[in-house]
Amino acid sequence: MSSYMDAVREVEKILWPRPMKLFTAGPVACFPEVLEAMRIQQLSHRSKEYQELHRDTVKRLADFLLARKATVLLIPSSGTGFMEASIRNAVTPKGKVLVTVIGEFGNRYREAVERNGRVPVVLEKPLGKPVLPEELDDALRKNRDVEAVTITYNETSTGVLNPLRELAKVVKEHGKLLFVDAVSAMGAADIRVDDWGIDIVFASSQKAFGVPPGLAMAAVSEEVFEKAKSIPERGLYFDLLEIREFLVKQWSTPTTPPIPQIAGLNVALRIVEKMGGRERWLGMYAERAERIRRGVQELGLKLFAEPGYYSPTITVVYNPPGVKGPVIYEELRKRGIEIAKGYGKVKDETFRIGHMGYITSEDIDALFRNLREVLISLGFKPAA
Ligand SMILES: *Cc1c(COP(=O)(O)O)cnc(C)c1O
């Protein structure tokens, strides 16, 4: 050990002055094995060794996403980078996009469309509700000139999981491109890229795969690359044709990739395999989410999302009468547990419990034990 390890302890003290169990919306608690892999010394992203890591990670993620025809891309960015890329590469300047909005992240997509000089046509649902296939079909009948449809698979602000498979079917019946923000879904909710005909689906490393932030992942269809060829001003950083070229020619990226995160994601995908494969892993997420919802309801609290569309990664809960969400958040923090505050328009009405990444059964027990005590201390009488 060098004599400068003190420097590490000093930084650790800034970021982690005391232990904390995370039930956040992202970044989330990472698997210890993932963090361990990220300590491996770096080397050039043009080296043969790096290329092998990149190739293997892409292959594992493509298997997980059932993307054999689509191309899996890894880029140095947060997830929103691919949101921007989808618009710049696959929508004609001034072209129209049907943006479905069921919460804050749908609004972000609308903004990405506008700020890149394209025109959003918005299908918006009341908060807590999903987009239904017949509603999407209706909107597409009324707006035949849109080039693409955007869907937030899992709306992190309301805890709603959209029925992506059914919605994708409608989009394909209308022959439109489909862009999916799966930032808080990929790794926890089923995604079948080829079968469902998804054109771009993207996510960030710091959500359901339980890896630190800095890496964005996506699967991109051949149609998108074809369309991109007709759009000259794709920009420098998110030019999907160039990013694909580097992938195909040298298993790497045009700009320097976050090698530690890619090593971490590779480990996460190996853990999936060692756990028994994608179905088992997704099952683990479904069970964990079910347990969190049960715990919330047993306390007598109400879920924000419409039944039948519950998120596998985040549970949004109405504040109990007379109790403020941020107070619950602060009280839990004092007890070494960090949940997520309400977000967007419902920030004053709700609080959120994230259940992504490295969370043990004991962590969940501790969460509910403490939440119960906090609620009682704030004058709320839990149901059971
Ligand atoms: C977290 C989140 C984002 C933003 O992701 P970044 O990695 O911060 O760019 C976008 N959409 C959804 C649904 C999210 O949960």
Side-chain angles (χ1 to χ4, degrees), residues 86-93 95-97 145-148 176-177 179 221-232 234 241:
S86 67
I87 305 302
R88 294 193 69 102
N89 285 266
V91 181
T92 318
K96 286 188 186 166
V97 180
D145 57 345
V146 301
E147 297 179 25
K176 306 298 182 188
L177 291 174
F179 307 155
S221 76
E222 208 44 49
E223 285 79 355
V224 166
F225 295 116
E226 275 312 306
K227 180 92 179 267
K229 289 177 189 164
S230 71
I231 299 168
R234 300 183 296 275
L241 288 175

mmCIF file of all heavy atoms in Angstrom, residues 86-93 95-97 145-148 176-177 179 221-232 234 241:
data_model
loop_
_atom_site.group_PDB
_atom_site.id
_atom_site.type_symbol
_atom_site.label_atom_id
_atom_site.label_comp_id
_atom_site.label_asym_id
_atom_site.label_seq_id
_atom_site.Cartn_x
_atom_site.Cartn_y
_atom_site.Cartn_z
ATOM 1 N N SER A 86 -31.126 9.708 -30.366
ATOM 2 C CA SER A 86 -32.257 9.155 -31.123
ATOM 3 C C SER A 86 -32.883 10.233 -31.999
ATOM 4 O O SER A 86 -33.204 9.996 -33.160
ATOM 5 C CB SER A 86 -33.301 8.544 -30.178
ATOM 6 O OG SER A 86 -33.942 9.539 -29.392
ATOM 7 N N ILE A 87 -33.014 11.427 -31.458
ATOM 8 C CA ILE A 87 -33.643 12.527 -32.205
ATOM 9 C C ILE A 87 -32.712 13.025 -33.311
ATOM 10 O O ILE A 87 -33.117 13.186 -34.459
ATOM 11 C CB ILE A 87 -33.997 13.703 -31.249
ATOM 12 C CG1 ILE A 87 -34.864 13.217 -30.086
ATOM 13 C CG2 ILE A 87 -34.671 14.839 -32.021
ATOM 14 C CD1 ILE A 87 -36.157 12.574 -30.494
ATOM 15 N N ARG A 88 -31.463 13.258 -32.974
ATOM 16 C CA ARG A 88 -30.514 13.832 -33.941
ATOM 17 C C ARG A 88 -30.218 12.896 -35.105
ATOM 18 O O ARG A 88 -29.924 13.339 -36.211
ATOM 19 C CB ARG A 88 -29.193 14.172 -33.241
ATOM 20 C CG ARG A 88 -29.300 15.264 -32.219
ATOM 21 C CD ARG A 88 -27.922 15.730 -31.827
ATOM 22 N NE ARG A 88 -27.305 16.438 -32.940
ATOM 23 C CZ ARG A 88 -27.217 17.742 -33.035
ATOM 24 N NH1 ARG A 88 -27.719 18.501 -32.079
ATOM 25 N NH2 ARG A 88 -26.641 18.311 -34.058
ATOM 26 N N ASN A 89 -30.250 11.585 -34.849
ATOM 27 C CA ASN A 89 -29.859 10.616 -35.872
ATOM 28 C C ASN A 89 -31.024 10.054 -36.673
ATOM 29 O O ASN A 89 -30.829 9.575 -37.779
ATOM 30 C CB ASN A 89 -29.124 9.437 -35.228
ATOM 31 C CG ASN A 89 -27.715 9.788 -34.818
ATOM 32 O OD1 ASN A 89 -26.775 9.575 -35.568
ATOM 33 N ND2 ASN A 89 -27.552 10.354 -33.627
ATOM 34 N N ALA A 90 -32.212 10.064 -36.070
ATOM 35 C CA ALA A 90 -33.288 9.314 -36.722
ATOM 36 C C ALA A 90 -34.569 10.113 -36.950
ATOM 37 O O ALA A 90 -35.596 9.542 -37.305
ATOM 38 C CB ALA A 90 -33.585 8.050 -35.919
ATOM 39 N N VAL A 91 -34.513 11.419 -36.744
ATOM 40 C CA VAL A 91 -35.664 12.268 -37.068
ATOM 41 C C VAL A 91 -35.156 13.424 -37.925
ATOM 42 O O VAL A 91 -34.172 14.084 -37.572
ATOM 43 C CB VAL A 91 -36.358 12.825 -35.795
ATOM 44 C CG1 VAL A 91 -37.571 13.675 -36.180
ATOM 45 C CG2 VAL A 91 -36.770 11.706 -34.851
ATOM 46 N N THR A 92 -35.812 13.650 -39.049
ATOM 47 C CA THR A 92 -35.435 14.737 -39.942
ATOM 48 C C THR A 92 -35.566 16.080 -39.208
ATOM 49 O O THR A 92 -36.530 16.268 -38.468
ATOM 50 C CB THR A 92 -36.422 14.765 -41.147
ATOM 51 O OG1 THR A 92 -36.645 13.413 -41.552
ATOM 52 C CG2 THR A 92 -35.894 15.563 -42.297
ATOM 53 N N PRO A 93 -34.628 17.015 -39.405
ATOM 54 C CA PRO A 93 -34.804 18.342 -38.797
ATOM 55 C C PRO A 93 -36.181 18.900 -39.144
ATOM 56 O O PRO A 93 -36.620 18.803 -40.294
ATOM 57 C CB PRO A 93 -33.671 19.160 -39.420
ATOM 58 C CG PRO A 93 -32.602 18.148 -39.717
ATOM 59 C CD PRO A 93 -33.347 16.898 -40.119
ATOM 60 N N GLY A 95 -38.844 17.604 -38.372
ATOM 61 C CA GLY A 95 -39.786 16.487 -38.466
ATOM 62 C C GLY A 95 -40.560 16.304 -37.165
ATOM 63 O O GLY A 95 -40.157 16.790 -36.106
ATOM 64 N N LYS A 96 -41.693 15.587 -37.256
ATOM 65 C CA LYS A 96 -42.551 15.410 -36.077
ATOM 66 C C LYS A 96 -42.304 14.084 -35.359
ATOM 67 O O LYS A 96 -42.029 13.063 -35.990
ATOM 68 C CB LYS A 96 -44.016 15.450 -36.497
ATOM 69 C CG LYS A 96 -44.513 16.847 -36.833
ATOM 70 C CD LYS A 96 -46.005 16.816 -37.054
ATOM 71 C CE LYS A 96 -46.489 18.185 -37.530
ATOM 72 N NZ LYS A 96 -47.847 18.108 -38.062
ATOM 73 N N VAL A 97 -42.440 14.146 -34.040
ATOM 74 C CA VAL A 97 -42.286 12.954 -33.201
ATOM 75 C C VAL A 97 -43.471 12.877 -32.248
ATOM 76 O O VAL A 97 -43.812 13.875 -31.606
ATOM 77 C CB VAL A 97 -40.991 13.043 -32.348
ATOM 78 C CG1 VAL A 97 -40.835 11.806 -31.479
ATOM 79 C CG2 VAL A 97 -39.767 13.236 -33.232
ATOM 80 N N ASP A 145 -48.327 11.899 -39.926
ATOM 81 C CA ASP A 145 -47.049 12.431 -40.423
ATOM 82 C C ASP A 145 -45.908 12.375 -39.412
ATOM 83 O O ASP A 145 -44.827 12.894 -39.676
ATOM 84 C CB ASP A 145 -47.256 13.876 -40.911
ATOM 85 C CG ASP A 145 -47.826 14.787 -39.826
ATOM 86 O OD1 ASP A 145 -48.333 14.266 -38.795
ATOM 87 O OD2 ASP A 145 -47.770 16.017 -39.994
ATOM 88 N N VAL A 146 -46.110 11.759 -38.243
ATOM 89 C CA VAL A 146 -44.970 11.663 -37.314
ATOM 90 C C VAL A 146 -43.989 10.609 -37.834
ATOM 91 O O VAL A 146 -44.376 9.645 -38.483
ATOM 92 C CB VAL A 146 -45.389 11.325 -35.855
ATOM 93 C CG1 VAL A 146 -46.335 12.381 -35.300
ATOM 94 C CG2 VAL A 146 -45.997 9.933 -35.751
ATOM 95 N N GLU A 147 -42.686 10.830 -37.540
ATOM 96 C CA GLU A 147 -41.667 9.885 -38.009
ATOM 97 C C GLU A 147 -41.363 8.816 -36.960
ATOM 98 O O GLU A 147 -40.868 7.744 -37.289
ATOM 99 C CB GLU A 147 -40.368 10.645 -38.343
ATOM 100 C CG GLU A 147 -40.543 11.643 -39.478
ATOM 101 C CD GLU A 147 -39.254 12.409 -39.775
ATOM 102 O OE1 GLU A 147 -38.150 11.909 -39.485
ATOM 103 O OE2 GLU A 147 -39.377 13.531 -40.308
ATOM 104 N N ALA A 148 -41.616 9.166 -35.711
ATOM 105 C CA ALA A 148 -41.227 8.249 -34.638
ATOM 106 C C ALA A 148 -42.133 8.441 -33.427
ATOM 107 O O ALA A 148 -42.827 9.457 -33.315
ATOM 108 C CB ALA A 148 -39.768 8.500 -34.245
ATOM 109 N N LYS A 176 -43.961 3.158 -37.799
ATOM 110 C CA LYS A 176 -43.131 4.258 -37.283
ATOM 111 C C LYS A 176 -41.905 3.713 -36.540
ATOM 112 O O LYS A 176 -41.908 2.564 -36.074
ATOM 113 C CB LYS A 176 -43.949 5.125 -36.306
ATOM 114 C CG LYS A 176 -45.249 5.655 -36.871
ATOM 115 C CD LYS A 176 -45.020 6.554 -38.064
ATOM 116 C CE LYS A 176 -46.354 7.101 -38.583
ATOM 117 N NZ LYS A 176 -46.178 7.821 -39.861
ATOM 118 N N LEU A 177 -40.910 4.572 -36.386
ATOM 119 C CA LEU A 177 -39.764 4.208 -35.553
ATOM 120 C C LEU A 177 -40.179 4.296 -34.083
ATOM 121 O O LEU A 177 -40.977 5.163 -33.709
ATOM 122 C CB LEU A 177 -38.589 5.160 -35.809
ATOM 123 C CG LEU A 177 -37.904 5.064 -37.183
ATOM 124 C CD1 LEU A 177 -36.867 6.173 -37.326
ATOM 125 C CD2 LEU A 177 -37.258 3.689 -37.387
ATOM 126 N N PHE A 179 -38.713 4.718 -30.218
ATOM 127 C CA PHE A 179 -37.602 5.022 -29.305
ATOM 128 C C PHE A 179 -38.080 4.809 -27.866
ATOM 129 O O PHE A 179 -39.096 5.375 -27.465
ATOM 130 C CB PHE A 179 -37.157 6.491 -29.427
ATOM 131 C CG PHE A 179 -36.831 6.938 -30.829
ATOM 132 C CD1 PHE A 179 -36.938 8.286 -31.168
ATOM 133 C CD2 PHE A 179 -36.416 6.046 -31.806
ATOM 134 C CE1 PHE A 179 -36.638 8.724 -32.450
ATOM 135 C CE2 PHE A 179 -36.108 6.471 -33.091
ATOM 136 C CZ PHE A 179 -36.229 7.817 -33.413
ATOM 137 N N SER A 221 -31.684 -0.372 -34.040
ATOM 138 C CA SER A 221 -32.070 -1.193 -35.200
ATOM 139 C C SER A 221 -31.393 -0.715 -36.480
ATOM 140 O O SER A 221 -30.943 0.429 -36.582
ATOM 141 C CB SER A 221 -33.586 -1.168 -35.385
ATOM 142 O OG SER A 221 -33.970 0.072 -35.958
ATOM 143 N N GLU A 222 -31.371 -1.592 -37.463
ATOM 144 C CA GLU A 222 -30.811 -1.268 -38.774
ATOM 145 C C GLU A 222 -31.547 -0.079 -39.403
ATOM 146 O O GLU A 222 -30.935 0.766 -40.061
ATOM 147 C CB GLU A 222 -30.949 -2.516 -39.661
ATOM 148 C CG GLU A 222 -29.912 -2.643 -40.738
ATOM 149 C CD GLU A 222 -28.489 -2.347 -40.294
ATOM 150 O OE1 GLU A 222 -28.033 -2.883 -39.254
ATOM 151 O OE2 GLU A 222 -27.817 -1.554 -40.981
ATOM 152 N N GLU A 223 -32.856 0.008 -39.174
ATOM 153 C CA GLU A 223 -33.655 1.106 -39.736
ATOM 154 C C GLU A 223 -33.124 2.462 -39.286
ATOM 155 O O GLU A 223 -33.120 3.425 -40.052
ATOM 156 C CB GLU A 223 -35.131 0.975 -39.333
ATOM 157 C CG GLU A 223 -35.903 -0.112 -40.065
ATOM 158 C CD GLU A 223 -35.654 -1.518 -39.512
ATOM 159 O OE1 GLU A 223 -34.809 -1.693 -38.597
ATOM 160 O OE2 GLU A 223 -36.292 -2.454 -40.024
ATOM 161 N N VAL A 224 -32.689 2.519 -38.030
ATOM 162 C CA VAL A 224 -32.168 3.789 -37.509
ATOM 163 C C VAL A 224 -30.879 4.174 -38.235
ATOM 164 O O VAL A 224 -30.699 5.325 -38.645
ATOM 165 C CB VAL A 224 -31.928 3.706 -35.984
ATOM 166 C CG1 VAL A 224 -31.077 4.872 -35.491
ATOM 167 C CG2 VAL A 224 -33.261 3.679 -35.252
ATOM 168 N N PHE A 225 -29.997 3.206 -38.425
ATOM 169 C CA PHE A 225 -28.740 3.525 -39.122
ATOM 170 C C PHE A 225 -29.031 3.959 -40.562
ATOM 171 O O PHE A 225 -28.393 4.876 -41.084
ATOM 172 C CB PHE A 225 -27.793 2.316 -39.102
ATOM 173 C CG PHE A 225 -27.324 1.958 -37.709
ATOM 174 C CD1 PHE A 225 -27.649 0.737 -37.130
ATOM 175 C CD2 PHE A 225 -26.551 2.849 -36.954
ATOM 176 C CE1 PHE A 225 -27.223 0.397 -35.850
ATOM 177 C CE2 PHE A 225 -26.120 2.529 -35.681
ATOM 178 C CZ PHE A 225 -26.459 1.293 -35.122
ATOM 179 N N GLU A 226 -29.995 3.315 -41.196
ATOM 180 C CA GLU A 226 -30.372 3.693 -42.566
ATOM 181 C C GLU A 226 -30.891 5.122 -42.610
ATOM 182 O O GLU A 226 -30.499 5.929 -43.447
ATOM 183 C CB GLU A 226 -31.444 2.732 -43.112
ATOM 184 C CG GLU A 226 -30.885 1.470 -43.718
ATOM 185 C CD GLU A 226 -29.744 1.725 -44.705
ATOM 186 O OE1 GLU A 226 -29.949 2.520 -45.648
ATOM 187 O OE2 GLU A 226 -28.650 1.162 -44.508
ATOM 188 N N LYS A 227 -31.787 5.425 -41.670
ATOM 189 C CA LYS A 227 -32.364 6.769 -41.605
ATOM 190 C C LYS A 227 -31.267 7.803 -41.348
ATOM 191 O O LYS A 227 -31.258 8.884 -41.941
ATOM 192 C CB LYS A 227 -33.417 6.807 -40.482
ATOM 193 C CG LYS A 227 -34.117 8.132 -40.284
ATOM 194 C CD LYS A 227 -35.402 8.225 -41.087
ATOM 195 C CE LYS A 227 -36.133 9.541 -40.886
ATOM 196 N NZ LYS A 227 -37.137 9.482 -39.823
ATOM 197 N N ALA A 228 -30.328 7.464 -40.469
ATOM 198 C CA ALA A 228 -29.254 8.395 -40.097
ATOM 199 C C ALA A 228 -28.447 8.834 -41.320
ATOM 200 O O ALA A 228 -27.970 9.974 -41.392
ATOM 201 C CB ALA A 228 -28.339 7.763 -39.048
ATOM 202 N N LYS A 229 -28.320 7.925 -42.282
ATOM 203 C CA LYS A 229 -27.552 8.269 -43.490
ATOM 204 C C LYS A 229 -28.178 9.431 -44.247
ATOM 205 O O LYS A 229 -27.490 10.150 -44.971
ATOM 206 C CB LYS A 229 -27.455 7.046 -44.414
ATOM 207 C CG LYS A 229 -26.546 5.963 -43.872
ATOM 208 C CD LYS A 229 -26.539 4.737 -44.781
ATOM 209 C CE LYS A 229 -25.800 3.589 -44.084
ATOM 210 N NZ LYS A 229 -26.082 2.297 -44.726
ATOM 211 N N SER A 230 -29.487 9.629 -44.068
ATOM 212 C CA SER A 230 -30.169 10.710 -44.781
ATOM 213 C C SER A 230 -30.160 12.022 -43.983
ATOM 214 O O SER A 230 -30.705 13.025 -44.424
ATOM 215 C CB SER A 230 -31.610 10.300 -45.081
ATOM 216 O OG SER A 230 -32.363 10.290 -43.874
ATOM 217 N N ILE A 231 -29.573 12.000 -42.795
ATOM 218 C CA ILE A 231 -29.550 13.205 -41.943
ATOM 219 C C ILE A 231 -28.098 13.638 -41.744
ATOM 220 O O ILE A 231 -27.363 13.046 -40.951
ATOM 221 C CB ILE A 231 -30.227 12.922 -40.585
ATOM 222 C CG1 ILE A 231 -31.690 12.525 -40.835
ATOM 223 C CG2 ILE A 231 -30.152 14.140 -39.661
ATOM 224 C CD1 ILE A 231 -32.387 11.948 -39.637
ATOM 225 N N PRO A 232 -27.655 14.674 -42.477
ATOM 226 C CA PRO A 232 -26.223 15.005 -42.448
ATOM 227 C C PRO A 232 -25.741 15.568 -41.107
ATOM 228 O O PRO A 232 -24.644 15.232 -40.674
ATOM 229 C CB PRO A 232 -26.057 16.027 -43.574
ATOM 230 C CG PRO A 232 -27.429 16.430 -43.993
ATOM 231 C CD PRO A 232 -28.423 15.508 -43.388
ATOM 232 N N ARG A 234 -25.685 15.209 -37.795
ATOM 233 C CA ARG A 234 -25.967 14.363 -36.636
ATOM 234 C C ARG A 234 -25.171 14.786 -35.414
ATOM 235 O O ARG A 234 -25.320 14.215 -34.344
ATOM 236 C CB ARG A 234 -25.638 12.904 -36.986
ATOM 237 C CG ARG A 234 -26.445 12.360 -38.159
ATOM 238 C CD ARG A 234 -26.134 10.906 -38.405
ATOM 239 N NE ARG A 234 -24.762 10.684 -38.811
ATOM 240 C CZ ARG A 234 -24.312 10.780 -40.060
ATOM 241 N NH1 ARG A 234 -25.139 11.099 -41.047
ATOM 242 N NH2 ARG A 234 -23.042 10.573 -40.342
ATOM 243 N N LEU A 241 -23.779 6.589 -36.543
ATOM 244 C CA LEU A 241 -23.073 5.884 -37.623
ATOM 245 C C LEU A 241 -21.588 5.755 -37.291
ATOM 246 O O LEU A 241 -20.975 4.701 -37.505
ATOM 247 C CB LEU A 241 -23.269 6.602 -38.961
ATOM 248 C CG LEU A 241 -24.682 6.474 -39.562
ATOM 249 C CD1 LEU A 241 -24.808 7.311 -40.822
ATOM 250 C CD2 LEU A 241 -25.018 5.014 -39.851
#
